[in-house]
Amino acid sequence: MKNTILKIIITSSILLGANSHAADQPDYPENYRSWTHIKSMTLHKGHALENPFLGIHHVYGNKAAVAGTKSGHFEDGSVLVFDLLQSVTKDKASVEGERVLIGVMSKDSSKYKTTSGWGFEGFKGNSKTERLVTDDGTSCYSCHTSQKENDYVFTQWRK
Ligand code: HEC
């Protein structure tokens, strides 16, 4: 009896584990540091998005995503990365510290129907496996909907 209960508990936690992040959120974007750097921004203490986006972030895009930041329309296969590092200020200079997280947006209109074709995922620190999104990207998406006119992307290409 005890064994059966244990088995049930183990089986359900494995099942729950498998479902704890979205069915099929984007994978770690291998090699994104060699993609195109599109823009950077620093959020300081007191900024509305300081939790969890305090620090220096850089936005990278693959080829399709870069085209999207110019046209405002993103083809399937577009991937954008939000690379967040601590900002360390010393001797009147701010430099990059440890990586806090990366955020990923990946366009696949057939896969991510409920979030307008975008899959959202986060990876903690330098990890390629520690995923941060547990709600199918709904909370990421809800903030990105303010950019509906621009295909849910804030970043635009500058000359
Ligand atoms: C409360 C609002 C908010 C939430 C929630 C949010 N973001 Fe964003 N996100 C932004 C803003 C604002 C920018 C633009 C930053 C800039 O201009 O450099 C951005 C930029 C990005 C970018 C670069 C592409 C773009 O749209 O400019 C990615 C990738 C990204 N976010 C992923 C995520 C992921 C993944 C999540 C959920 C884990 C998430 N975001 C949650 C506000 C949000």
Side-chain angles (χ1 to χ4, degrees):
M1 183 61 186
K2 237 186 187 171
N3 259 347
T4 317
I5 293 176
L6 202 64
K7 254 187 205 156
I8 293 171
I9 293 173
I10 291 172
T11 315
S12 9
S13 55
I14 290 172
L15 287 177
L16 279 175
N19 287 332
S20 66
H21 70 80
D24 200 2
Q25 294 310 106
D27 286 328
Y28 183 85
E30 290 293 346
N31 216 29
Y32 73 88
R33 290 272 290 122
S34 303
W35 296 357
T36 301
H37 167 246
I38 305 172
K39 67 164 296 199
S40 300
M41 182 175 179
T42 304
L43 300 194
H44 302 277
K45 285 209 174 90
H47 189 280
L49 302 183
E50 70 171 315
N51 185 17
F53 299 133
L54 180 76
I56 303 176
H57 66 254
H58 307 292
V59 177
Y60 293 88
N62 66 3
K63 253 191 176 161
V66 169
T69 60
K70 294 174 181 173
S71 70
H73 170 75
F74 292 79
E75 298 290 336
D76 279 3
S78 299
V79 183
L80 288 155
V81 177
F82 178 99
D83 192 0
L84 177 63
L85 306 150
Q86 286 172 359
S87 169
V88 183
T89 302
K90 206 179 136 196
D91 300 334
K92 299 200 184 297
S94 295
V95 296
E96 298 170 340
E98 295 286 304
R99 176 169 286 111
V100 179
L101 56 83
I102 67 164
V104 183
M105 287 173 70
S106 177
K107 187 81 180 272
D108 184 333
S109 334
S110 50
K111 224 183 207 176
Y112 305 115
K113 288 200 173 108
T114 56
T115 44
S116 299
W118 285 106
F120 292 87
E121 186 55 279
F123 293 90
K124 195 176 172 188
N126 291 317
S127 175
K128 298 182 176 184
T129 52
E130 246 182 287
R131 292 171 179 266
L132 298 173
V133 167
T134 52
D135 62 355
D136 293 0
T138 317
S139 53
C140 311
Y141 176 66
S142 68
C143 187
H144 278 250
T145 48
S146 68
Q147 302 306 305
K148 191 171 179 203
E149 299 293 295
N150 196 35
D151 213 349
Y152 305 91
V153 173
F154 287 92
T155 295
Q156 295 183 17
W157 189 257
R158 63 166 153 74
K159 289 208 176 76

